[in-house]
């Protein structure tokens, strides 16, 4: 969970599109709604060609001012493990009720 309690998903860099992860978005959406959450977040690499799939599924790129302290903490841990934060993109999915 991240950014004001929103469920958070970390996307690992792979050489092929994340079909399995994209298929899990509807299940995550149902779970989040059942848990009374209004937003789901993820952090992915900016330069992967399939990042557009997340936008197609309703995720939007978050501005720096939209990123809450919990999501910043996740990004800080990634940086501590060697990931360059300038190559990462925080995204959110607002859930319709």
């Amino acid at each position: 969970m991240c950014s004001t309690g929103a469920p958070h998903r970390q996307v690992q860099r792979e050489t092929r599109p994340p079909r399995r992860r994209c298929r899990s978005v509807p299940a995550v959406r149902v779970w989040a709604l059942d848990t009374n959450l209004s937003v789901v977040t993820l952090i992915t690499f900016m330069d992967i060609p399939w990042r557009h799939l997340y936008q197609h599924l309703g995720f939007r790129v978050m501005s720096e001012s939209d990123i809450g302290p919990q999501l910043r903490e996740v990004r800080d841990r990634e940086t501590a493990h060697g990931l360059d934060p300038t190559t990462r993109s925080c995204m959110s999915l607002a859930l319709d009720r």
Side-chain angles (χ1 to χ4, degrees):
M1 297 256 224
C2 248
S3 188
T4 64
H8 171 76
R9 237 187 128 144
Q10 288 180 283
V11 178
Q12 303 298 317
R13 181 183 292 264
E14 294 179 4
T15 57
R16 57 192 169 99
R19 289 182 189 95
R20 195 174 291 157
R21 283 188 291 273
C22 286
R23 279 184 267 165
S24 70
V25 169
V28 169
R29 184 186 308 226
V30 168
W31 172 83
L33 287 168
D34 287 348
T35 313
N36 293 319
L37 298 171
S38 59
V39 177
V40 175
T41 62
L42 65 79
I43 301 177
T44 189
F45 290 94
M46 287 185 198
D47 63 348
I48 57 172
W50 58 85
R51 188 174 73 130
H52 304 61
L53 290 175
Y54 293 114
Q55 291 172 310
H56 177 74
L57 292 169
F59 283 88
R60 67 172 184 80
V61 176
M62 299 171 74
S63 69
E64 199 59 33
S65 63
D66 290 336
I67 300 170
Q70 291 172 317
L71 194 54
R72 285 182 198 283
E73 184 179 317
V74 172
R75 205 170 52 179
D76 290 346
R77 282 195 311 263
E78 290 183 345
T79 302
H81 285 95
L83 290 176
D84 178 356
T86 65
T87 66
R88 305 290 279 156
S89 178
C90 296
M91 302 182 83
S92 66
L93 173 65
L95 301 173
D96 298 328
R97 297 212 171 257

